[in-house]
């Protein structure tokens, strides 16, 4: 067992207070990368009511920035960061692959890259995605402001460097899940977890709940608690037929999500089979409060701790492998894109589907509809 330095050990204890927000399995790593001031800032933000997902992203980005700065300059991350350091960050992360082939010194230096990979902070090959770089710069800016400081994040030179670097990197936009988990794919995943083991019941409930509730994000699935579930009056299978059979109905209160604020009472509905499967899981696992979806050890014991967002993703990939699907083509986000794609395929209006998925961006949600409609349309069939 590796012993942490006393300062890192004390920071690890401080981070215990943020266990509900920060991934426990990375606590020691974060404690070794963050400074005392960093931890104090995170605790302050948590006390101010900043959303868990936002705070988790800030902690992860801050740890990366601290490690990168130490490797790149030999010094801790300065506050506020000088304009030259921001430009160096862009140059190290957005670069031209063709130029790199001609000049090995172009882009991130080899020793910096090796150090980040050794820490497990850098896994992707090639330049970073522009969205990742912008997000980390935004996190850097937010943390600077929360320290009562101002930085050069609005400097024309930084904006210009970002624009030019994005063009030079020529990196195509990557979908979070290469393939959508549509109804037919979901059926195959459910078939491989149709057993009576607790892990099968959990995974079945997780997949059905995540999909039927509008394609919930993996962070939202992991954060779901029993207290967020509210029984509603049964509804008719066919709203237009009063004689159709009644179905159980459940509302899920999501609180603050990626696209909502504290003032929003974000909630979605579950109707029918997903409700039955979810309640059966809770009953069989004797879960009356706290996290809905929990870790299960190799002996079938249900933990008090919730699944992490990463675990939700790994569960989906594991079930894909069992179903004979390529796990590399699917991720948990495929449940979200799959829900909208399936809604489009079944003729459900975009506005109605967005009420359930809680997409705020019409452009983003419409992408899935456009893809589905183009495949069903005549425009691409002129020469068949």
């Amino acid at each position: 067992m590796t012993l942490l330095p006393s300062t890192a050990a004390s920071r690890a204890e401080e981070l215990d207070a943020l266990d509900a927000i920060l991934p426990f399995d990375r606590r020691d790593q974060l404690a070794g990368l963050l400074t005392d001031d960093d931890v104090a800032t995170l605790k302050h933000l948590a006390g101010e009511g900043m959303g868990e997902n936002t705070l988790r992203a800030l902690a992860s980005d801050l740890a990366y920035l601290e490690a990168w700065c130490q490797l790149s300059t030999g010094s801790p991350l300065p506050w506020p960061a000088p304009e030259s350091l921001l430009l160096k960050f862009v140059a190290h992360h957005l670069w031209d692959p063709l130029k790199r082939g001609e000049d090995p010194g172009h882009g991130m230096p080899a020793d910096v890259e090796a150090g980040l990979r050794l820490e497990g902070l850098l896994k992707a090959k090639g330049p970073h995605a522009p969205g990742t770089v912008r997000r980390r710069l935004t996190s850097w800016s937010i943390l600077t402001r929360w320290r009562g400081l101002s930085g050069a994040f609005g400097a024309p030179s930084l904006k210009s460097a970002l624009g030019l670097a994005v063009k030079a990197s020529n990196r195509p936009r990557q979908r979070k899940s290469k393939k959508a988990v549509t109804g037919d794919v979901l059926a195959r995943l459910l078939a491989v977890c149709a057993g009576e083991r607790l892990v099968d019941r959990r995974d079945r409930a997780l997949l059905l709940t995540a999909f039927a509730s509008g394609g919930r994000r993996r962070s939202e699935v992991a954060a779901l608690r029993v207290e967020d579930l509210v029984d509603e009056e049964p509804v008719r299978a066919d709203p237009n037929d009063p004689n159709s059979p009644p179905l159980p109905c459940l509302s899920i209160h999501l609180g603050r999500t990626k696209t909502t604020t504290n003032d929003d009472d974000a909630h979605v509905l579950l109707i029918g089979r997903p409700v039955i499967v979810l309640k059966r899981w809770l009953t069989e696992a004797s879960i009356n409060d706290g996290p809905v979806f929990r870790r299960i050890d190799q002996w079938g014991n249900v933990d008090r701790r919730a699944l992490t967002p990463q675990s939700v993703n790994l569960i989906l990939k594991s079930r894909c492998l069992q179903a004979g699907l390529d796990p590399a083509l699917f991720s948990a986000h495929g449940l979200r894109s799959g829900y909208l794609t399936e809604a489009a395929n079944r003729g459900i209006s975009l506005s109605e589907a967005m009420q359930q998925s809680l997409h705020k961006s019409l452009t983003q949600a419409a992408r899935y509809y456009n893809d589905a409609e183009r495949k069903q349309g005549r425009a691409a069939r002129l020469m068949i």
Side-chain angles (χ1 to χ4, degrees), residues 57-124:
L58 284 174
S60 178
D61 288 342
L62 180 54
Y64 181 90
L65 290 169
E66 288 280 11
W68 168 80
C69 186
Q70 187 69 51
L71 290 165
S72 299
T73 68
S75 301
L77 196 64
W79 300 94
E83 187 175 337
S84 59
L85 188 62
L86 300 179
L87 293 172
K88 181 190 287 287
F89 182 80
V90 173
H92 278 198
H93 293 84
L94 292 175
W95 39 270
D96 184 353
L98 295 178
K99 177 69 174 176
R100 180 72 168 264
E102 302 170 359
D103 178 10
H106 177 69
M108 184 180 290
D111 59 335
V112 176
E113 180 177 343
L116 290 172
R117 291 193 186 282
L118 186 62
E119 290 277 3
L121 297 171
L122 181 61
K123 296 179 181 178

Side-chain angles (χ1 to χ4, degrees), residues 4-5 8-9 11-12 15 22-35 39 59-60 62-64 66-67 115-123:
L4 293 170
R11 283 196 294 274
L15 288 171
L22 304 181
F24 186 83
D25 55 353
R26 291 190 61 208
R27 186 202 65 168
D28 291 349
Q29 182 191 30
L30 290 174
L33 294 170
L34 303 178
T35 67
V39 175
S60 178
L62 180 54
Y64 181 90
E66 288 280 11
L116 290 172
R117 291 193 186 282
L118 186 62
E119 290 277 3
L121 297 171
L122 181 61
K123 296 179 181 178

Side-chain angles (χ1 to χ4, degrees), residues 243-291:
N243 296 317
S244 63
L247 298 175
C249 180
L250 191 71
S251 63
I252 300 178
H253 292 256
L254 297 169
R256 177 187 285 187
T257 70
K258 183 179 179 181
T259 54
T260 62
T261 66
N262 269 345
D263 296 330
D264 292 329
D265 181 23
H267 71 280
V268 294
L269 296 176
L270 278 188
I271 294 175
R273 180 164 67 123
V275 177
I276 296 172
V277 173
L278 177 59
K279 287 191 170 184
R280 187 172 296 165
W281 150 246
L282 293 173
T283 300
E284 292 293 329
S286 300
I287 297 175
N288 300 310
D289 54 40

Side-chain angles (χ1 to χ4, degrees), residues 286-328:
S286 300
I287 297 175
N288 300 310
D289 54 40
V292 170
F293 298 113
R294 307 182 180 193
R295 307 178 190 186
I296 299 176
D297 66 24
Q298 58 183 321
W299 298 283
N301 299 312
V302 180
D303 203 322
R304 285 289 303 173
R305 293 174 295 174
L307 292 174
T308 65
Q310 182 184 21
S311 296
V312 173
N313 197 46
L314 292 176
I315 286 171
L316 183 132
K317 287 182 173 291
S318 174
R319 293 301 184 177
C320 283
L321 184 62
Q322 293 175 33
L325 301 168
D326 184 354

Side-chain angles (χ1 to χ4, degrees), residues 345-362:
N345 289 336
R346 297 192 186 192
I348 297 172
S349 70
L350 177 57
S351 60
E352 184 178 352
M354 286 178 66
Q355 289 179 356
Q356 185 76 342
S357 70
L358 298 182
H359 273 86
K360 286 295 181 70
S361 168
L362 180 63

